[in-house]
Amino acid sequence: MDKAKMIFGNPLSDRDYRKAVKGAESYRRKFGDDSSVEYHLTTADNNVLETFGAKNLVLTPGANMEFDDKAVVIGNIRMGFGHYRISMAMASAAQALGYKPLWFDLHSFKDTTCGKVIRHQNDLYSLGSRLSQKSKLFNIFWEYENSEGFRKLTYNAADQKKAELMAPVARALPKDIPYVATHVWPAQAAVHAGLTNVVNAIPDNWPMALHLAEGAKHTIQTPSSFLGYKSLRGMAKTPLKPMPQGSLFYTGHYIDHELVANIETDNAHRIDRLTSGAPRRYLMTVGGAGAQQDLFIGMIEKLLPDIEAGRATLLMNFGDHRTVFDTICGKVPAFKALAETHFDDYDGAARFAEAALTGPVTGIHAFYDADIFAAVYITNLLMRCSDVLITKPSELAYYPIPKLMIKRVGGHEAWGAIRTAELGDGTYECRTMPEIGAMLDLMTNDGEVLSSMCKAIETGKSIGIYDGAYNVIKLAAEGKF
């Protein structure tokens, strides 16, 4: 059965199917069709991926490589930073469980139809995210599209047809290899390529048909999204047939082994800093789309008096967005004067983060790396030595560190903030600068907030809230968890 005609037993109308086919045909004309090409894979080393024992799969002419029987493929793309970060969590958990993670980045296969389609889609998503922060009118559309537009079954049908164009690169993999996808397109591409052991790790807490890849096992991070996905809630105008048994699993949050294993130790350091009167350490991150610059400037200006007085420290990872750093330096001269830069030096950033676990840190430290892997993972390194993570409620909302949730970028992210607020390991979504400023004052001056979040994180660990990445790997490699 054509996966764009029937989705979990729910038929699409002829009109919607024709529209999906037409959309895929336009992509085929624009980006080509390499369905007759036979691709081959080998591995390549990467300094950052080696942190969790992963090898990078690259296309190369000639015979296909031999795949180890302990290999687990992590299928991913760049769409912002979130899907790479979740992939890193999966690779970390795989290594901790004794498996050998292989990084399969469809976005990196630049000369293939697959790579061209994904690069085009990522550019559109990044543009939309930035525009939504600059235009209130556009943000109305972006909020709707990211919560209701992507929610519809018809959207999944359109993606399924486009994913057929992505399948050729996945055909280079063994059909039965354990395969974990951290975005729906790598999951759909693998299923279309005939892979039989695909796990589709859904990132969002808000059920959307966008994330469905029939033929894969689907995992979700929260109990509330389990029921929403199971019933395909709101994905059509009338109730739908549910997802069948064995196709959907609640695993817990997708978190790196290094962070989960050190929760108690890192929280103890946070409480020690709290009781000793050390500066409150805030970690601020620029996302993959480079949005929210005005909020960053507002928060920096709010924190500057506390930083200068020794009551706060700011660690800021600009990812691979050097222009955002330059813009902030131009608009906030005091930031430029105080910031110690750690640029294009992943090993140096790792040493800084390690020393900061027990040593003092003051002032402002700015991080940037042109390498996408370092740009993403430096935030993970800095989490362990930070007291509070300031982030929009995207994939970082699920991480075991006290969090200040700022304004979302897209309506689907709202439920990430709801999740962290209910667990107690972070704040509710603070959408305006006055509200964010008041929360910063509270977190800086009232130790009860930080200590209560630390306790909530340890409670969450004790009941398996943060074990999602381990469980996903077990599901892919062992069939159960």
Side-chain angles (χ1 to χ4, degrees), residues 1-7 12-28 32-33 35 113-114 117 121 153-168 184-185 188-189 192 212-213:
M1 173 60 69
D2 189 321
K3 295 185 183 302
K5 277 188 174 181
M6 181 82 69
I7 301 171
L12 274 291
S13 70
D14 290 341
R15 177 180 177 273
D16 289 329
Y17 178 73
R18 288 194 300 270
K19 184 177 179 181
V21 171
K22 184 177 180 181
E25 285 301 320
S26 69
Y27 271 45
R28 184 175 281 105
D33 185 348
S35 57
T113 300
C114 173
V117 168
Q121 294 280 69
L153 217 58
T154 52
Y155 196 93
N156 184 258
D159 265 5
Q160 286 283 11
K161 296 308 293 184
K162 292 171 185 173
E164 293 174 5
L165 299 173
M166 305 176 193
V184 71
W185 295 338
Q188 291 171 343
H192 283 296
L212 300 176

Side-chain angles (χ1 to χ4, degrees), residues 107-179:
H107 187 276
S108 70
F109 305 141
K110 296 181 179 179
D111 295 328
T112 68
T113 300
C114 173
K116 293 173 185 176
V117 168
I118 291 172
R119 187 161 58 252
H120 172 70
Q121 294 280 69
N122 181 56
D123 289 345
L124 290 177
Y125 179 80
S126 296
L127 176 62
S129 294
R130 292 192 299 272
L131 288 176
S132 72
Q133 303 303 294
K134 297 178 180 179
S135 167
K136 291 183 179 179
L137 184 61
F138 183 84
N139 191 54
I140 294 172
F141 160 77
W142 196 241
E143 280 270 309
Y144 177 85
E145 189 69 4
N146 275 272
S147 56
E148 296 299 331
F150 295 161
R151 192 181 184 188
K152 303 306 181 186
L153 217 58
T154 52
Y155 196 93
N156 184 258
D159 265 5
Q160 286 283 11
K161 296 308 293 184
K162 292 171 185 173
E164 293 174 5
L165 299 173
M166 305 176 193
V169 290
R171 290 203 302 261
L173 295 166
K175 292 293 185 286
D176 61 348
I177 196 166
Y179 181 103

Side-chain angles (χ1 to χ4, degrees), residues 424-435:
D425 63 1
T427 71
Y428 47 81
E429 182 183 0
C430 300
R431 302 204 65 190
T432 66
M433 195 55 234
E435 190 175 26

Side-chain angles (χ1 to χ4, degrees), residues 205 207 220-229 233 250 415 419:
N205 201 21
I220 42 83
Q221 300 189 79
T222 70
S224 64
S225 58
F226 179 88
L227 187 56
Y229 274 102
R233 180 189 178 201
Y250 162 56
W415 281 73
R419 172 65 171 174

Side-chain angles (χ1 to χ4, degrees), residues 25 128 157 169 215 250 258 269 295 335 368 372 408 424 431 434 439:
E25 285 301 320
V169 290
Y250 162 56
E258 293 76 18
H269 290 320
L295 271 184
F335 175 86
Y368 157 84
I372 179 61
R408 62 184 180 262
R431 302 204 65 190
M439 188 61 71

Side-chain angles (χ1 to χ4, degrees), residues 204-356:
D204 282 318
N205 201 21
W206 175 244
M208 295 189 290
L210 162 70
H211 293 302
L212 300 176
E214 187 172 5
K217 295 176 181 176
H218 297 68
T219 66
I220 42 83
Q221 300 189 79
T222 70
S224 64
S225 58
F226 179 88
L227 187 56
Y229 274 102
K230 179 70 176 178
S231 64
L232 303 180
R233 180 189 178 201
M235 297 183 189
K237 293 181 179 179
T238 58
L240 297 167
K241 293 179 181 178
M243 294 179 68
Q245 291 187 20
S247 61
L248 182 65
F249 301 82
Y250 162 56
T251 59
H253 297 188
Y254 311 140
I255 308 298
D256 311 63
H257 167 72
E258 293 76 18
L259 293 171
V260 177
N262 288 290
I263 280 176
E264 292 87 354
T265 299
D266 296 342
N267 273 346
H269 290 320
R270 291 178 185 121
I271 298 303
D272 285 346
R273 289 192 292 268
L274 176 65
T275 55
S276 67
R280 190 78 75 249
R281 299 178 180 182
Y282 291 100
L283 171 58
M284 197 181 302
T285 66
V286 177
Q292 297 184 304
Q293 291 187 38
D294 290 342
L295 271 184
F296 293 138
I297 290 169
M299 290 185 290
I300 290 167
E301 291 176 337
K302 172 64 181 175
L303 284 170
L304 275 172
D306 286 324
I307 293 170
E308 292 169 339
R311 292 188 296 270
T313 295
L314 177 61
L315 310 177
M316 190 163 184
N317 182 18
F318 288 87
D320 60 355
H321 293 289
R322 176 61 188 265
T323 55
V324 178
F325 172 80
D326 294 336
T327 298
I328 290 175
C329 285
K331 294 187 176 181
V332 189
F335 175 86
K336 181 179 181 180
L338 290 172
E340 180 179 341
T341 57
H342 308 260
F343 284 6
D344 289 318
D345 183 11
Y346 174 75
D347 291 337
R351 289 192 298 271
F352 172 91
E354 181 69 25

